[in-house]
Amino acid sequence: MRLDKFLKVSRLIKRRTLAKEVSDQGRVTVNGQVAKAGTTVKAGDELAIRFGQKVVTVKINDVRDTTRKEEAAEMYTIVKEESV
């Protein structure tokens, strides 16, 4: 699945256009490598997303094309949150 679509479906970022902008600015890394919006992600990958003064690291548990709001949090596990 594309990185920008995963960020939207998992509700880590609300809109896909915003997810695309964030990833194209180099603020998302997949397994330690800077990732673009079209980067393919799979279960087991680790994402680090920089939101302003905070970096959130998550591990992908599951990849689904669609999900309900209640189930979206099951797609990932937050590994750590740290201030920059």
Side-chain angles (χ1 to χ4, degrees), residues 12-66:
L12 282 164
I13 296 179
K14 289 202 184 245
R15 291 185 307 281
R16 188 163 176 185
T17 53
L18 185 60
K20 182 181 182 323
E21 289 172 16
V22 167
S23 51
D24 286 343
Q25 290 171 358
R27 291 168 39 189
V28 180
T29 61
V30 176
N31 297 326
Q33 301 288 319
V34 175
K36 296 289 185 191
T39 302
T40 303
V41 296
K42 58 192 179 311
D45 285 349
E46 195 168 280
L47 303 178
I49 309 160
R50 187 165 41 93
F51 295 105
Q53 298 298 316
K54 187 168 68 168
V55 176
V56 178
T57 305
V58 298
K59 183 174 170 72
I60 299 174
N61 297 331
D62 192 14
V63 176
R64 297 184 217 149
D65 285 333
T66 59

